[in-house]
Amino acid sequence: MKKIGVLTSGGDAPGMNPAIRAVVRKAIFSGLEVVGIQRGYSGLIRGEFREMNLSSVADIIYRGGTMLRTARSENFRTPEGRTKAAGNLRSQGIEGLVVIGGDGSFRGAQALGREHGIRFIGVPGTIDNDIPCTDYTIGFDTAVNNVVDAVNKIRDTATSHERTYVIEVMGRNSGFIALEAGLAGGAESILIPEMGVNINDIIEKLERGMQRGKLHSIIIVAEGAGSGIEIGRLIQERTGSETKVTILGHIQRGGTPTSFDRVIASRMGALAVDLLVKGETAKMVGMISGSLKDFDIDYALSQEKTIDRSVYELASILAI
Ligand code: F6P
């Protein structure tokens, strides 16, 4: 293998830049040429290639977002789009691809590999942490810290005004961000799709707290569990307590990556290059109990990542 490509795809995640840096520098160290593909699969179809050298990735380790830009490509979902993408890779002499992104990006790479024999390794990069075969995805830790920072600030005003606050967080169909940030932020209730939502339970808990003289509460709602606005409206209506709603939105995805995200991004990016050099393909890298491992992509994408119920139960016990 002489030349590889790297792209970021799907929602950006803090830590994608350190992952790109690791891929580029480890590849050059291993005697390979590296091409950066801009704007994910959209750029791959349009032929947006740029040669990468050691200094192309200087000063990016601490920056959020992705210097290669990213996109969600509808065209790549079609066989015609993937044929064009494979043709572009071949005409550039790119023999292996590192795809940094979430499960949608991995499914795209899987199709490209199956239909056109393109060699690839997936590096899990998404704030949602919803990818199986890895305890952590790149960007999750930073997103959780962003949420906890917001919860701390909201708690100041919630306490001062003795109000209930509903905070809606990202995570698509999963509750990993809500659960981790809820435990770390001391939320009174955490609503996640994996556990179902029972509004009566939440209201009873709030009322029990009010009877004890507790006049402020923080409720974290994963976007996949329901609308924060709707839940806030129901709580205010049923408890009579003034309830404010904050939707944190894309602020969760921004900012400098935490050292944890930088470290896993660096390790995972470098391992992806090692695997390509060894002739491996159709794999993803992951971190299990602190050790890096690789998994067949077909196996990984057939698994379901589940939340740790004991963490959910603990959060609930501690917020009694
Ligand atoms: O997958 C990452 C994520 O931030 C999800 O948590 C969220 O549902 C989605 O992307 C938002 O997508 P967009 O940035 O396209 O609005």
Side-chain angles (χ1 to χ4, degrees):
M1 186 162 291
K2 290 198 173 60
K3 199 192 252 192
I4 66 166
V6 56
L7 61 81
T8 49
S9 162
D12 63 296
M16 282 182 161
N17 277 329
I20 296 166
R21 174 179 177 270
V23 170
V24 170
R25 294 208 168 155
K26 186 67 199 279
I28 293 171
F29 174 82
S30 309
L32 302 174
E33 284 175 59
V34 200
V35 173
I37 298 149
Q38 309 247 63
R39 299 178 185 82
Y41 294 125
S42 298
L44 183 54
I45 292 169
R46 286 197 296 260
E48 296 180 27
F49 298 105
R50 61 183 272 197
E51 210 176 291
M52 306 292 276
N53 55 39
L54 293 175
S55 51
S56 322
V57 290
D59 289 333
I60 63 166
I61 196 163
Y62 67 98
R63 289 184 201 276
T66 160
M67 56 100 66
L68 287 176
R69 312 289 181 246
T70 188
R72 302 188 201 276
S73 170
E74 281 308 316
N75 201 357
F76 193 72
R77 292 179 196 274
T78 66
E80 297 73 30
R82 292 193 291 272
T83 300
K84 181 86 175 76
N88 285 344
L89 285 170
R90 293 221 164 83
S91 68
Q92 289 287 316
I94 297 171
E95 297 159 285
L97 194 58
V98 177
V99 172
I100 306 168
D103 64 337
S105 309
F106 287 2
R107 282 182 206 285
Q110 185 187 35
L112 196 61
R114 208 169 33 219
E115 294 164 7
H116 299 281
I118 300 295
R119 308 184 80 81
F120 72 92
I121 304 291
V123 173
T126 164
I127 62 165
D128 300 336
N129 203 28
D130 58 350
I131 301 186
C133 298
T134 188
D135 293 339
Y136 294 104
T137 56
I138 297 165
F140 172 66
D141 185 63
T142 308
V144 167
N145 278 286
N146 285 339
V147 174
V148 171
D149 186 45
V151 171
N152 294 342
K153 288 173 177 150
I154 289 173
R155 191 174 282 287
D156 287 343
T157 179
T159 317
S160 306
H161 281 267
E162 302 184 316
R163 285 171 175 160
T164 301
Y165 269 83
V166 173
I167 305 175
E168 185 187 300
V169 304
M170 281 185 170
R172 205 177 285 278
N173 301 317
S174 71
F176 294 99
I177 296 176
L179 180 56
E180 190 119 332
L183 177 60
E188 276 67 27
S189 292
I190 303 170
L191 279 56
I192 55 175
E194 293 86 342
M195 298 303 295
V197 176
N198 184 338
I199 195 78
N200 293 331
D201 287 352
I202 294 151
I203 287 166
E204 270 171 33
K205 192 170 183 186
L206 278 171
E207 284 173 340
R208 277 199 310 274
M210 284 168 193
Q211 277 155 16
R212 286 194 341 251
K214 182 173 177 141
L215 296 174
H216 68 273
S217 286
I218 304 266
I219 296 166
I220 305 237
V221 182
E223 62 178 345
S227 149
I229 292 178
E230 185 56 18
I231 288 163
R233 191 188 61 74
L234 280 172
I235 291 174
Q236 174 154 318
E237 200 175 275
R238 305 237 329 243
T239 63
S241 158
E242 188 177 17
T243 304
K244 299 279 179 180
V245 178
T246 302
I247 298 174
L248 289 183
H250 290 81
I251 202 162
Q252 294 163 89
R253 251 174 33 196
T256 186
T258 58
S259 52
F260 182 84
D261 275 331
R262 296 182 199 192
V263 169
I264 64 167
S266 302
R267 293 178 65 193
M268 288 178 175
L271 176 59
V273 173
D274 285 343
L275 290 168
L276 283 176
V277 168
K278 277 195 212 144
E280 301 274 13
T281 184
K283 293 202 150 182
M284 66 164 275
V285 300
M287 196 177 78
I288 304 287
S289 304
S291 298
L292 285 203
K293 301 214 172 347
D294 58 87
F295 297 88
D296 284 336
I297 204 77
D298 295 345
Y299 169 77
L301 293 177
S302 70
Q303 301 299 298
E304 201 187 327
K305 178 125 167 222
T306 50
I307 61 139
D308 184 339
R309 287 179 79 102
S310 70
V311 175
Y312 179 81
E313 280 152 17
L314 176 66
S316 171
I317 290 167
L318 300 184
I320 201 148

